Amino acid sequence: SKFASVLVGVVKLVATTVASLKVDSFGRRPLLLSGISLMIAALALLSFTSVWHSSTLASRLIIAELMVLVTAYQIGFGPISWLMLTEVCPLRVRGNMVGLGVSTNFAFNIVATQTLPILSNAAGMSGLFALYCLVSIVSFLFVYFVVPETKGKTLEEIEVLLGLDAKHQHSTLL
């Protein structure tokens, strides 16, 4: 319905605005980890609730859980991944790396869109949400163990933090 579309748009706008305004005070990692944690919770609940999707209560819960999922994405991966992509790439290769990051993102969007009906038919909605929950858990672990906090750091400090500073590296990236 039109109302649902407008509601999703408003939720996305508010969540993205809050994350964008608070990223420098909260930090990138905490927003990413919080967003992914909420995504995991929402997807786990969606996996469970979608089994009983025929009841009115389950339908309402699914809508609420989807809103939590959208909000979680918009406070984490939505804005933060694009910000960090530009921060962690050394200036000398930033254009190529950002181009690669954007291309990879769109390629995975296409893969996700094209495989959604296949996975949904094979595993059902409950299984699909469980699979996406598993992917979110892997994402959480990656961010937790690999992604550094870049809040308050200059681009040069980030390069040193990641071992990408030109003074200590003789190979070129891309």
Side-chain angles (χ1 to χ4, degrees):
S1 78
K2 289 181 183 180
F3 176 74
S5 296
V6 170
L7 182 61
V8 168
V10 168
V11 166
K12 288 175 77 168
L13 177 65
V14 170
T16 303
T17 301
V18 169
S20 297
L21 293 174
K22 293 298 184 180
V23 69
D24 284 328
S25 58
F26 291 159
R28 282 88 167 126
R29 274 178 47 93
L31 283 174
L32 271 174
L33 293 171
S34 298
I36 298 169
S37 296
L38 283 171
M39 287 174 61
I40 291 167
L43 288 163
L45 288 170
L46 280 161
S47 180
F48 179 74
T49 308
S50 62
V51 172
W52 296 281
H53 68 278
S54 58
S55 75
T56 303
L57 175 61
S59 296
R60 289 182 178 154
L61 283 173
I62 288 171
I63 291 169
E65 293 159 1
L66 286 170
M67 286 297 151
V68 170
L69 179 63
V70 167
T71 301
Y73 178 83
Q74 293 306 129
I75 63 172
F77 280 130
I80 307 302
S81 59
W82 297 108
L83 173 63
M84 290 193 78
L85 176 62
T86 60
E87 289 181 337
V88 300
C89 295
L91 188 57
R92 66 189 180 282
V93 294
R94 183 163 298 142
N96 289 341
M97 294 300 288
V98 169
L100 179 63
V102 169
S103 298
T104 302
N105 180 286
F106 285 119
F108 276 99
N109 286 341
I110 291 168
V111 169
T113 302
Q114 295 301 312
T115 59
L116 184 123
I118 297 164
L119 293 171
S120 177
N121 286 337
M125 290 307 293
S126 181
L128 182 68
F129 288 130
L131 175 64
Y132 289 162
C133 183
L134 180 63
V135 170
S136 295
I137 291 168
V138 171
S139 298
F140 180 91
L141 294 171
F142 176 81
V143 170
Y144 186 82
F145 289 109
V146 177
V147 177
E149 176 58 69
T150 58
K151 173 184 144 187
K153 293 184 174 33
T154 65
L155 296 177
E156 293 79 16
E157 290 171 330
I158 294 170
E159 283 189 20
V160 171
L161 177 69
L162 296 174
L164 300 174
D165 55 321
K167 294 176 187 170
H168 299 100
Q169 192 172 45
H170 296 89
S171 64
T172 58
L173 298 173
L174 295 179

